[in-house]
Every structure is written in structure tokens, then in C-alpha cells.
Amino acid sequence: MRKGMLFGVCILVGVMAFSTGWAKEPTIKIGINAPITGDIPKVGEGTKFAAQLWLEDVKAAGGIAVGKKKYPVELVIEDNESKAESAVKVTTKMITEDDILVMVGPQASKQAVPAAGIANNYKTPMITPWSTNPDSTKDKPYVFRACFLDPFQGPVVANFISNEFKFKKAAVLYDVASDYPKGLAEFFKKAWEDTHGKGSVVAYESFTTKDTDFSSQLTKIINSGAQVLFTPQYYNEVALIVQQAHQLGWKKPIVGSDSWGSAETVKLCGKDCYGAFFSTHYAAAGATGDTKKFIDRYKAKHGYVPDDVAALTWDAMMLVQKAIQGTGGLTGDLKKDRDNVRTALSQVKKFKGITGEMTFAGKNDPSKCAVIVKISDTGEFTFYKSVCP
Amino acid sequence: MPPPAPISRTFRARCSRVPLLGWLSGALAAVVLERFVGTPLALAVGLPKIPALFGIDIMLKKPLLIPNAVLYTVLIYLLPIAAVALSTAFLTNRLAGGLMKLPVAVPVAVHLGLLYAALHFWADVSDYRSLVLKLTMIAIMLTLSLNVINGYMGEFSCSHPGFMALGAYCASVVTVGLFVDGNYFGIALLPGETGPFLFPIDLVAGGLLAAFGALFVAIPSFRTRGDYLAIISLAFLFIVKSLIENFEFVRGPRGMSGQPDLAGLPTVFSWAVLCVWSINNFVRSTVGKAMNAVRDNEMAAEAMTVDTRRTKIVAFLFAAFWAGVAGGLFAHVLRYVNPGTFGIQNLAEVLAMVYFGGLNSVYGSIVGAVSISLLGEALRPLEIFKWIIIPLLLILVMIYRPTGLIAFKDLEVATLLRPKQGPDGER
């Protein structure tokens, strides 16, 4: 018994002698708050892969050069299970335990809103790449986002349809129980009725998450005499809606929003989605320059074309890098450094990201352009038009 | 001369002579020690800082640091606790004996005070610990209240997240409306300082609303049992969820944020204690025994003059009340609520805690809630494997202890607190 214990202590001390002495040099820690398990694991995967790709670049460059010094970078990747309470726990943990300088994520608004409250309380800068809910950054000076907002996207789509097709009557089909489709449907309706007058949205139909049969709503829409159908849904519902609409005899255009921009959309939907339009952050097919470089690298490494979450996360990481470099030098005092990074972030102007040019200029939401994408006859997302604020 | 007993046995025998008071003092000593020498010690054993949850997180992320984390945990928790508890056993036994002679409220208050002090110092080290602690205590409240229905009364109710949602939203609407500018009344009606005083009333209101909602499950339960009641209660959960999703004044699926920061550690702790106390008394009262009778055989109970309808109504309302209070606290700890939170996933978690810990037992609920919450938190770095390990544990428990870890055991306060050794040395 005694001997065993002595032996154990010896091993302990021996191993400790090897493992001590790490983390002595100042490291920049960046938190990644991603939904790796739970409802939307694909989003978490894209986030993680994009962040790791960025880390590779930074490591190859020997760290981030701030002022005259180069700092090594460490990513703290945590899983928020796509739950609000876990996102809050993870955020608190990263900020108080892991001493991160900046946090990237969470992606979905239902985690981003509470996490943003925590980050703001601890005065830690946070960038959410994908959350389009206005509440995420509202009254929170430390919280930024890398995408445009729903109040911008709704009018973009409405104006695109009005100008492109000269239609006067639109129908909307959306999920009433999910915040993103609901918000976007409302903004679209408002923008459409502002141009075409009251009652020009002739059918405004809703369903609830996980519904799979939309025939009654679609029949109503077809009978309403609408010229176009707008449905801001996620990829799994898009496939069902579009296919069922075609089966019921709908031949007019169908338009979607950035939630369509997943590789799965075409896979599930097949030929039915060819020719449809949606607004999004970037178009993968026919991309040029840095965007193409990113897509090619990602595809080579993980075997599929990155969706908009991955692209936005990449941009968020680049924004972080730019902001850290923009501080002109780290003081070593985490509190001051976080403040400095926040200030630097808010002053970012004309940042060339792979999802377009971003300018914060004192605000927490970037002003950036939206892209209208057409699904080509081979199922690729091709660039159609760019709409700027 | 008899041969000396093996060390392990004498050690265990000595441990069994330590009263709860001794263990609590040991825990307090350990956390106070950590508070003051934790950081230098952590640095000395090669850890970057004090490990948050007993070092499990560090062990999983950097396996090389396992010995360091183990050493830290042993040095800062196990050794001081054991040393203090064993060395003061004589003293604490005398003290516990003396306390037990006073009215029962006095020893209970002393023990709770010690427990709170230990938790307070432990949580003082980092806000992350404090958050985990608060959410764990809320999980205890939920598990206990669900155990009243599923364990003590033997009905399979699935509506608990619904009750919780009612409580959470009611409490949030009141606090956000009264204390935050730019909401229902335009400006904040009351100054923020009155918040802590109104908060208990607010939580009770949330609990009452949840209890009212429980009527819609309790009344159908007169005629249905088993699977049918499970489906009815599940339907109730969906009704509540879609109601909230469609109510624009609670911001629908977008969720409500901006609740004032009212749920600190002392608040949550006091409510959790109140909940354990009242549920423990409830299940040992006549109504509690009537619930057991209803579970074992409803017709026989009816024949033995048990008013089954009244029993069911009281049990449902009581359990829903505490679920509502827990929901209100939950909303104010996170400071954000979203109808999506109160769905099937939440239900599965609470049910897992109840069945893991043990049916028909207050101890079991506490053990289940604490172990599942802490495991879930500590194993987070494993990502997807976490969702294999925890269900696997649950399956193992179901195979070897089909009613849960500590089932059918009463929490008797006097036995728990009594000294483990008389003044003359005999037990």
C-alpha cells in the first residue's frame, strides 16, 4: 500500500517535471463558440473548420504581428450544444477561465443574443458571424457581427423581385415558430407593401417547425394569384416546399434568403430548385480572388464547398486579426487589451472580406452588400447580382 | 494482542465516525484554502490557473496535465477535507450532539450556513463556477418537482418544461416590465433597488401561473393513466410552446432578453433550500402517503378512503408551482428566455435526472440533478462523445438499478445531522 503510493507520487512528480513550463510566453487566445452538437451540427462544423483553416495561416506566418512583436495564437473551441444556456455557460467559461481576448460566435441568434449579453457584461469583444437578429448587437457596444441584418435583407429581396420581374403580387410562406424566418418574412412584407401598396402580399402563410406537409398553405398561395413565392426557410424545408409547390402546379419563380445557402439545399431539392433565386452573403460558383482561394482550400481539405457560415466565420477571424493588429500593441493587461480590440474593431473601414466589403465606422453592424444568387441548371450557386445599401 | 487492522479499513471506520458537521467544516476549510493559496499552488503544480471543475476540463483537453490536475485536486480538496474532518471528529460530534438538543431549526440553520459558506467561497474563485452552481441548483428544483409526479405519484408526466416556461415567462414579463425602460409601460415603473424585494413575489407569481396551467393536465389525469397521460401532458407542453411562439408581446420565437440581474447565488440557494424543504415535508405528509397509495393501486387507494382526485390535483399543482419558480430563476440567471429552450430536449434532460438519481427519493433527485449537470459540463470538451457517455451511463444504471441510484429513500433531517459517535466513544 505504502510502496504503491510512493511509486504513484514518483510518477506524478516525474510527469509534472516534463509538463510544466508551458504557457509562459504571452499567447493570444481566441474563443470559438460553436454548435458542434445539437440541432445544427453542420453549422458548428463549418465554424470549426474555417477557424482552423485561419489558424493554419497564422501559424505558418509565425503568429500575429502586433506592433513590433509576434504573438502565437491559440484557439479555444467549445461546444454550445445549440442551446441558449450552454452558450451562456461556454461564454462565461471562455471569458473568466480561459482568458480569451476575443470571442467568435455563437452563430444562431437564439444562442448569440444571451451570449452577447454576457460578453458585453464582461467587456469582452465578440463577433457573431451569422446572427441576423437585431437584438444581438443592440445596446451592446462590445458585440459585433459579420453579416448584414434582416431589416436590410428583406427590402433587398423585395426590391430585387420588383425590379427584375416587375411583379405586383407576392406570397410568403414561413415558419412562425423560428425567429429567423419569421423576422425576415415580416421585413419582406413591410418592404413589399411599401412599394406596391397595402394588400399586395396576397398570401401570408405560416407553418410550425418540423412540419413536412405544406399542401394546404401552398394551395392557398396558388389560388391567391400571387406571381412569386418568397420563403425564407432552412435547406431541409426548402426542398420540401419547392417540390410540393411544383407538384401542386406552381410554375412561377420562388425566391429565398441566405438560409438557402447550404450545400444540402440542392442535394435534397434536386432539379426542382434549379432556376430559383436567393439573397445571400457570397456566391461560391464563379468566385474570384481570395474567395476562390478560400473555397478551394476548404474543399481540398474537407471535401465539400463551404457554405456561408464558414465564409462568414473566416471573415470574422480576419476581422479579429485586423483589429488585434490595429491596436498597435498589446499591453499584457487583458482588460485593457479587450477594450483596445473593441475600439479597433469599431473603427474598421473598407475591410475586404471574402463575403464582401465591410465598414463598421463606429457602429456594431457592418454596412455590406448582399448578393443575389441563382441556382444554375447544374445546381451551382452562381452570382447574379450584387445589391448594396 | 490482535493483529492491527488494515489501514484502509481503519480509515473507513474513522470516516464513518465523522458527522455531517465535520464534513462540511472540512469542505469549508478546503475552499477557504483554495481561495487564498489556490493560485500559487496551481502555478506550482504546473497548471495555468485554478482548475474550474476539479480539473476534469484540463484533463480532457491536455492529457499531459492529468497528473498535475489530480495532484492539485488531492492537495486542495481531498487532503484538507479528510484532515479537518477526521481531526475534528471528536469536537464536531460533541457539537452536533449539543445542537441536536436544541429545536431542530437551529442545527439545520447551522448546517445550511456552513454549506452556503463553502459554496460561496468555492464560487468566489470564478464566475463560471458560480453560474454552473446556480444552474445545478435550478436543476435540483426541477428534478425534485418532477419526481413528485413521476416518482411519488407514479404518473408519467411530460409537461414539466411547459410549467417551467410559464414560470419563466411570467416572472420575466413582470421584471422586464417593471424594471427595464422601453418595454410594456414605456419607462421603468419602479427603481431598480426595489427589485430584490419584489423578486420573491414575482417568482411566486410565476409559480402560481404554472400551477394554474397544471390544472389542464391534472383534470384529465382523473381518468387516464400511463401512456395516455404522457401524451396529454406532452400535448400541454406543445400548447404552451406554441402559445409563447405566437404571442408577440413576449417577442414570440425571438425570445425575451434584458431581465435584470436579480438571481445571485444567495437567492438561488435560498430558493433551492426552500424547495427541498417543502417538497421533503410534502412527500412525507399524509398527501405524500396518499400519492404513494395512488401509485401502487389507484382502486385500492380509493377503497381505503383516499381522495384520489384531490391527491392528484394537489400533487400536480404543487409540483408545477416549484417548476414555475425554477423557471423564473432560470430566466433571471440566463437573463434571456426563448420558447425553443422549453422543448423535448429539456424534457429529456429532466427525465434523465429523475430516473438516473432515483424515483421516490429526495436524495436521489439531488444526486441525479447534480451528477448529470456536472457531468454534462465537465465532459463538454468531448463534444459528440459526451452524448454517448452520458446515455451509456444511464443505460447501465437502468440495467443494474432499475429504479435509479438512490430510490425509495426518505430524507430524514434528524438522522442526517445526528452525531456519529456518542460522548463515550460508542456509536
Side-chain angles (χ1 to χ4, degrees):
Chain A
M1 181 81 195
R2 284 255 164 89
K3 248 185 191 166
M5 266 171 79
L6 203 67
F7 186 64
V9 170
C10 279
I11 289 187
L12 261 167
V13 172
V15 176
M16 266 172 52
F18 276 104
S19 48
T20 44
W22 65 285
K24 289 277 187 286
E25 68 182 315
T27 317
I28 295 176
K29 286 187 173 181
I30 296 170
I32 308 287
N33 193 334
I36 294 169
T37 63
D39 290 341
I40 42 173
K42 210 73 187 159
V43 170
E45 190 184 272
T47 314
K48 196 170 137 185
F49 287 166
Q52 284 168 341
L53 215 56
W54 173 83
L55 186 68
E56 267 175 27
D57 279 7
V58 171
K59 277 205 172 141
I64 298 184
V66 191
K68 286 181 192 118
K69 220 173 151 225
K70 265 200 176 175
Y71 291 87
V73 177
E74 193 185 324
L75 289 185
V76 182
I77 301 177
E78 292 273 356
D79 173 21
N80 64 31
E81 300 163 22
S82 104
K83 287 197 298 194
E85 72 257 42
S86 296
V88 165
K89 280 193 213 167
V90 164
T91 309
T92 313
K93 183 177 173 211
M94 284 179 173
I95 295 172
T96 63
E97 288 299 314
D98 298 322
D99 295 330
I100 54 163
L101 182 61
V102 196
M103 182 169 81
V104 172
Q107 303 284 12
S109 296
K110 79 172 175 178
Q111 290 109 42
V113 175
I118 303 288
N120 198 52
N121 278 354
Y122 285 107
K123 299 201 185 328
T124 305
M126 157 180 156
I127 304 181
T128 166
W130 202 48
S131 161
T132 47
N133 187 332
D135 276 355
S136 309
T137 57
K138 197 178 149 207
D139 302 331
K140 292 171 188 126
Y142 283 84
V143 183
F144 298 83
R145 77 175 98 219
C147 53
F148 48 70
L149 280 84
D150 295 341
F152 168 66
Q153 192 179 178
V156 161
V157 179
N159 293 339
F160 164 73
I161 300 173
S162 313
N163 298 335
E164 191 71 25
F165 303 113
K166 314 273 182 248
F167 287 157
K168 295 265 179 307
K169 289 180 198 163
V172 179
L173 178 61
Y174 69 100
D175 179 357
V176 73
S178 185
D179 62 337
Y180 163 79
K182 192 177 176 212
L184 199 51
E186 279 163 9
F187 288 119
F188 174 84
K189 187 176 180 220
K190 196 171 168 289
W192 188 266
E193 293 193 332
D194 280 349
T195 23
H196 300 285
K198 234 178 154 35
S200 53
V201 174
V202 286
Y204 193 63
E205 296 296 318
S206 65
F207 62 94
T208 307
T209 318
K210 295 200 173 123
D211 279 1
T212 50
D213 181 18
F214 307 99
S215 45
S216 76
Q217 289 99 326
L218 286 168
T219 314
K220 257 192 212 164
I221 287 169
I222 291 169
N223 293 337
S224 69
Q227 294 162 304
V228 61
L229 169 62
F230 174 62
T231 180
Q233 288 310 128
Y234 293 102
Y235 57 85
N236 45 353
E237 290 141 346
V238 167
L240 294 168
I241 292 172
V242 175
Q243 284 167 349
Q244 287 176 21
H246 286 169
Q247 277 158 19
L248 291 168
W250 174 269
K251 295 209 177 57
K252 293 160 197 163
I254 299 177
V255 179
S257 58
D258 64 316
S259 54
W260 282 39
S262 159
E264 301 287 311
T265 309
V266 175
K267 223 188 259 173
L268 293 173
C269 186
K271 282 195 177 137
D272 284 292
C273 279
Y274 294 177
F277 293 93
F278 63 91
S279 64
T280 187
H281 309 276
Y282 90 130
T288 51
D290 282 345
T291 316
K292 186 169 166 27
K293 240 195 271 166
F294 167 73
I295 293 170
D296 289 346
R297 275 181 65 195
Y298 191 99
K299 204 177 166 191
K301 195 142 193 230
H302 303 295
Y304 62 94
V305 175
D307 47 19
D308 54 349
V309 179
L312 288 169
T313 307
W314 174 271
D315 272 355
M317 301 306 291
M318 296 305 278
L319 275 172
V320 165
Q321 184 174 353
K322 194 177 160 78
I324 294 175
Q325 283 167 339
T327 57
L330 296 179
T331 57
D333 176 1
L334 201 57
K335 233 176 150 180
K336 260 190 213 152
D337 286 338
R338 284 174 178 167
D339 263 353
N340 291 343
V341 170
R342 189 210 85 80
T343 318
L345 254 178
S346 68
Q347 284 160 357
V348 168
K349 272 194 196 105
K350 297 203 170 169
F351 163 78
K352 289 223 178 340
I354 59 173
T355 60
E357 198 177 88
M358 290 182 224
T359 299
F360 285 107
K363 284 197 205 120
N364 293 50
D365 302 320
S367 85
K368 68 190 279 194
C369 304
V371 174
I372 303 285
V373 162
K374 186 178 183 183
I375 302 181
S376 74
D377 290 341
T378 50
E380 277 183 320
F381 295 162
T382 48
F383 176 85
Y384 191 78
K385 205 175 176 182
S386 172
V387 185
C388 291
Chain B
M1 209 178 133
I7 297 174
S8 59
R9 196 186 299 162
T10 45
F11 181 71
R12 210 179 296 161
R14 285 190 65 187
C15 282
S16 72
R17 269 180 244 129
V18 177
L20 188 65
L21 193 63
W23 291 119
L24 283 178
S25 332
L28 183 59
V31 291
V32 170
L33 192 69
E34 180 178 45
R35 175 85 171 70
F36 292 109
V37 301
T39 310
L41 185 75
L43 292 177
V45 300
L47 297 172
K49 63 193 301 191
I50 298 179
L53 290 178
F54 310 111
I56 301 174
D57 186 64
I58 291 184
M59 293 187 211
L60 293 173
K61 275 193 173 161
K62 301 202 173 80
L64 255 187
L65 286 177
I66 288 178
N68 310 42
V70 171
L71 186 70
Y72 177 85
T73 312
V74 168
L75 283 182
I76 212 86
Y77 296 114
L78 296 188
L79 283 184
I81 291 179
V84 172
L86 292 178
S87 63
T88 62
F90 178 70
L91 202 71
T92 47
N93 267 320
R94 294 286 292 269
L95 203 61
L99 280 172
M100 291 312 283
K101 294 199 183 85
L102 299 169
V104 73
V106 178
V108 167
V110 169
H111 281 85
L112 284 178
L114 271 180
L115 177 63
Y116 178 73
L119 291 179
H120 181 87
F121 278 109
W122 188 73
D124 212 23
V125 171
S126 96
D127 286 356
Y128 171 61
R129 278 182 178 179
S130 155
L131 180 70
V132 170
L133 211 54
K134 283 192 268 187
L135 288 173
T136 307
M137 288 194 280
I138 291 170
I140 292 177
M141 296 173 72
L142 274 173
T143 313
L144 258 178
S145 61
L146 184 63
N147 210 342
V148 168
I149 300 176
N150 284 33
Y152 287 92
M153 202 164 62
E155 306 276 15
F156 196 87
S157 162
C158 297
S159 44
H160 242 60
F163 301 146
M164 193 182 163
L166 286 177
Y169 268 92
C170 177
S172 301
V173 166
V174 173
T175 49
V176 169
L178 289 181
F179 302 118
V180 181
D181 280 330
N183 281 295
Y184 306 112
F185 307 111
I187 45 150
L189 284 187
L190 294 170
E193 295 81 52
T194 53
F197 302 102
L198 273 176
F199 191 49
I201 304 172
D202 175 38
L203 285 179
V204 169
L208 289 178
L209 183 70
F212 174 72
L215 276 180
F216 294 94
V217 187
I219 292 171
S221 80
F222 293 162
R223 287 171 170 276
T224 45
R225 295 212 68 165
D227 302 350
Y228 299 99
L229 186 68
I231 290 168
I232 291 174
S233 54
L234 201 59
F236 174 80
L237 167 60
F238 284 122
I239 292 171
V240 170
K241 198 166 158 259
S242 21
L243 262 183
I244 296 172
E245 274 160 358
N246 285 288
F247 273 151
E248 213 30 67
F249 78 99
V250 293
R251 317 249 306 110
R254 245 162 270 165
M256 270 177 96
S257 57
Q259 284 87 341
D261 190 9
L262 292 171
L265 190 59
T267 317
V268 181
F269 180 79
S270 348
W271 279 98
V273 166
L274 203 63
C275 173
V276 173
W277 176 72
S278 75
I279 289 187
N280 190 41
N281 279 350
F282 180 75
V283 296
R284 294 188 308 152
S285 67
T286 354
V287 191
K289 299 298 161 207
M291 287 193 312
N292 283 354
V294 169
R295 176 193 61 206
D296 293 337
N297 191 329
E298 197 172 335
M299 263 204 264
E302 184 92 56
M304 300 301 287
T305 73
V306 172
D307 186 346
T308 53
R309 293 196 167 188
R310 183 173 167 272
T311 310
K312 282 178 173 176
I313 287 233
V314 169
F316 264 107
L317 262 54
F318 185 74
F321 173 81
W322 280 112
V325 171
L329 284 170
F330 179 80
H332 286 83
V333 168
L334 289 193
R335 304 178 66 192
Y336 173 76
V337 272
N338 176 304
T341 312
F342 308 105
I344 296 283
Q345 201 187 0
N346 187 304
L347 172 71
E349 268 168 35
V350 189
L351 281 175
M353 287 173 191
V354 170
Y355 288 91
F356 185 81
L359 291 172
N360 207 85
S361 143
V362 173
Y363 276 124
S365 293
I366 296 176
V367 168
V370 171
S371 46
I372 298 262
S373 313
L374 289 189
L375 262 182
E377 200 48 43
L379 299 185
R380 190 186 296 286
L382 294 182
E383 293 173 8
I384 198 80
F385 294 104
K386 171 179 147 186
W387 298 111
I388 298 175
I389 293 175
I390 294 179
L392 208 63
L393 272 178
L394 205 63
I395 292 173
L396 288 178
V397 167
M398 288 300 110
I399 291 175
Y400 294 105
R401 296 187 78 102
T403 48
L405 285 178
I406 312 174
F408 300 97
K409 193 165 180 214
D410 269 345
L411 177 76
E412 190 72 58
V413 177
T415 338
L416 190 68
L417 306 186
R418 76 182 158 86
K420 295 287 167 65
Q421 194 177 34
D424 317 318
E426 92 280 5
R427 292 198 70 193

